[in-house]
Amino acid sequence: MRSSKGRGVSGNGVGEPQGSGQAKGGRRAQLEHTGLRHGWTTGACATAATTAAYTALLTGEFPDPVTITLPKGQTPSFALAAEKLSEGSAMAGIVKDAGDDPDVTHGALVRATVRRLPAGSGVVFKAGPGVGTITRPGLPLPVGEAAVNPVPRRMMSEHIAAVAARHGGSSDVEITVSVDHGEEIAHSTWNPRLGILGGLSILGTTGIVVPYSCSAWIDSIRRGVDVARAAGRTHVAGCTGSTSEKTVVAEYGLPEDALLDMGDFAGAVLKYIRRHPVDRLTICGGFAKLSKLAAGHLDLHSGRSQVDKGFLAELARHGGADETLAAEVAAANTGLAALQLCQGAAVPLGDLVAKAARDEALAVLRGAPVAVDVICIDRAGAIVGRSSVA
């Protein structure tokens, strides 16, 4: 084994395959606009490690760097961080480089160990240390399978076939994927709640991580809805954080797999549930954040939407506030300050925000058969506003 000689270096960037011209939009345009460095998914790293390991198993030599082909035709190369050739098996490791994305798996060592199987076995995937195992239905893989998602499985299988064709092997192999410290890292992900136990998932549909992409979180929300539906849950809750989760559990006794870590992505929850309905959705979060939903924002991140105190002032007027109080609300420093002003005057601004947020959610649902209620809380978790169910 040896230390890393460097991170993955792309031979073809994040654009279109060579010869197809320059991409004008989409992920490449986003990356060029930000000026940030892209990275590689765990699926791409596992594919590179698998390719290097099987090549060594057949030839006795590890390719370093090892080049793979991603689903859209890009051909990045990866330096090996670890290698070991044994009787009947070979292991290679790649350090994941997430680029400028704040990915919890950045810097993780992704390993693949490949060993031959009897003819007709095909490619078999196993979860090594730090890679999770599926324990609940509703995910893209059956219960009991290693948490190596379908696209990475296909990528690894295709590269196994290509290596076999070049070097006279077969496609009957066992691939054990592991991630150093993966079980510890997984505590910062959705995996435990989704029923993926023992470590991380090996993910990625393109092989490329675009910095600050929201896709991974939104995909997690969708998988959370799938898991809840597969478990027969008829009431789920979209929560903006751990405090709001505790509130919902205290109010309704919802099980863990009915709680959706919505974060700032209210729109993602509503749009997916519109297509995959449940009987009831509770939205719970901080007053200021949910006031953004009430005002029509579906992305509640502070960098992409702001609390509209003028909107709050108008709601306060509807709740009985005089012009002096409405002006104070409009000039308040924060949403919470606006709430406190109204609480002091017995104006139910919290309830008004919750009702407006519920109405906005119903508008996004477009008549889907989902009953909705909204709970607003303060920073301590106390309920400061709620709507009826509609």
Side-chain angles (χ1 to χ4, degrees):
M1 185 179 299
R2 55 188 174 166
S3 61
S4 173
K5 298 191 295 187
R7 300 278 169 85
V9 178
S10 172
N12 197 26
V14 296
E16 298 300 315
Q18 290 178 351
S20 66
Q22 296 296 314
K24 300 299 182 183
R27 295 168 71 86
R28 177 169 182 146
Q30 178 187 342
L31 183 60
E32 289 178 344
H33 177 73
T34 63
L36 297 170
R37 193 168 58 87
H38 68 273
W40 310 109
T41 63
T42 48
C45 295
T47 299
T50 295
T51 302
Y54 195 37
T55 301
L57 188 59
L58 295 181
T59 68
E61 296 291 336
F62 288 88
D64 191 3
V66 57
T67 300
I68 62 171
T69 301
L70 298 180
K72 292 187 177 181
Q74 302 94 334
T75 53
S77 297
F78 297 81
L80 299 189
E83 60 183 48
K84 183 179 180 181
L85 183 59
S86 305
E87 184 66 30
S89 69
M91 181 278 295
I94 304 288
V95 174
K96 176 176 172 176
D97 182 2
D100 290 325
D101 193 70
D103 191 316
V104 295
T105 59
H106 177 71
L109 181 57
V110 180
R111 303 174 188 261
T113 300
V114 180
R115 71 179 185 90
R116 296 185 180 92
L117 292 178
S121 299
V123 180
V124 176
F125 293 92
K126 298 290 186 181
V131 170
T133 298
I134 307 296
T135 67
R136 293 180 187 169
L139 294 167
L141 298 165
V143 170
E145 280 290 324
V148 180
N149 270 22
V151 172
R153 285 178 180 236
R154 186 176 73 240
M155 290 170 60
M156 283 183 262
S157 297
E158 290 172 351
H159 282 75
I160 286 288
V163 172
R166 284 196 301 269
H167 301 294
S170 77
S171 294
D172 301 305
V173 299
E174 177 187 272
I175 304 171
T176 301
V177 185
S178 61
V179 180
D180 288 16
H181 310 294
E183 187 166 8
E184 178 183 346
I185 298 169
H187 292 306
S188 299
T189 74
W190 270 58
N191 280 16
R193 174 163 297 168
L194 294 177
I196 303 170
L197 303 183
L200 295 162
S201 299
I202 303 301
L203 303 171
T205 55
T206 66
I208 294 167
V209 175
V210 173
Y212 303 104
S213 168
C214 301
S215 59
W217 199 330
I218 291 173
D219 186 63
S220 293
I221 289 171
R222 293 168 178 167
R223 297 293 76 76
V225 174
D226 292 344
V227 167
R229 283 165 50 90
R233 307 303 179 197
T234 58
H235 183 185
V236 301
C239 304
T240 58
S242 59
T243 302
S244 54
E245 286 186 353
K246 292 175 183 176
T247 300
V248 166
V249 170
E251 287 293 304
Y252 299 120
L254 293 180
E256 186 177 68
D257 60 5
L259 303 176
L260 307 173
D261 189 359
M262 178 176 75
D264 295 313
F265 301 106
V269 170
L270 292 166
K271 292 173 186 177
Y272 197 69
I273 287 180
R274 182 175 70 207
R275 300 191 300 272
H276 305 274
V278 293
D279 290 351
R280 181 173 174 182
L281 168 67
T282 295
I283 296 174
C284 184
F287 167 82
K289 199 171 283 286
L290 292 188
S291 77
K292 299 180 188 181
L293 175 59
H297 296 288
L298 300 183
D299 184 339
L300 311 182
H301 190 277
S302 60
R304 297 183 286 270
S305 60
Q306 301 296 318
V307 174
D308 185 344
K309 266 89 74 173
F311 170 75
L312 293 180
E314 188 60 31
L315 284 182
R317 288 188 184 94
H318 287 299
D322 59 24
E323 285 305 312
T324 299
L325 177 57
E328 291 176 341
V329 168
N333 188 44
T334 65
L336 182 59
L339 174 67
Q340 291 170 338
L341 286 168
C342 288
Q343 287 174 326
V347 172
L349 184 59
D351 291 339
L352 294 167
V353 163
K355 181 181 182 300
R358 181 203 65 193
D359 293 345
E360 184 65 29
L362 290 170
V364 176
L365 288 168
R366 298 180 188 172
V370 181
V372 179
D373 68 301
V374 173
I375 300 175
C376 298
I377 61 173
D378 63 17
R379 291 174 181 170
I383 295 175
V384 297
R386 66 191 312 165
S387 76
S388 59
V389 181

